[in-house]
Amino acid sequence: MPLARQSQTHDVAQALSGVNFPARKQQLIEYARTHNGTDQAIDALGDLPDEQYTSMADVFKGIGLEENK
């Protein structure tokens, strides 16, 4: 995974650390804002489809950061 994507993945994961799933897009954005998420993480969350997410993996998939295994 390119370094920029790794950084974005880390930023999003850190911004949402401790969030309770399931959560909708707007809940994730608000959580990140109130827990000192980076601008990059908040911008990435803003690109999510307006859906309910059940896990961090769902969030990564929604913003195109899912890891290939």
Side-chain angles (χ1 to χ4, degrees), residues 44-55:
L45 294 170
D47 292 338
L48 284 170
D50 189 16
E51 300 175 2
Q52 181 165 288
Y53 297 87
T54 59
S55 68

Side-chain angles (χ1 to χ4, degrees), residues 12-56:
V12 170
Q14 190 169 21
L16 296 180
S17 178
V19 72
N20 292 316
F21 289 103
R24 295 203 61 84
K25 171 185 174 176
Q26 195 57 41
Q27 291 172 304
L28 296 172
I29 292 169
E30 289 304 316
Y31 186 91
R33 282 187 180 140
T34 60
H35 289 84
N36 299 317
T38 64
D39 290 340
Q40 182 182 13
I42 293 167
D43 288 347
L45 294 170
D47 292 338
L48 284 170
D50 189 16
E51 300 175 2
Q52 181 165 288
Y53 297 87
T54 59
S55 68
M56 192 67 71

Side-chain angles (χ1 to χ4, degrees), residues 1-9 40 65:
M1 182 183 309
L3 187 57
R5 289 176 59 90
Q6 286 178 338
S7 176
Q8 188 175 21
T9 302
Q40 182 182 13
L65 294 176

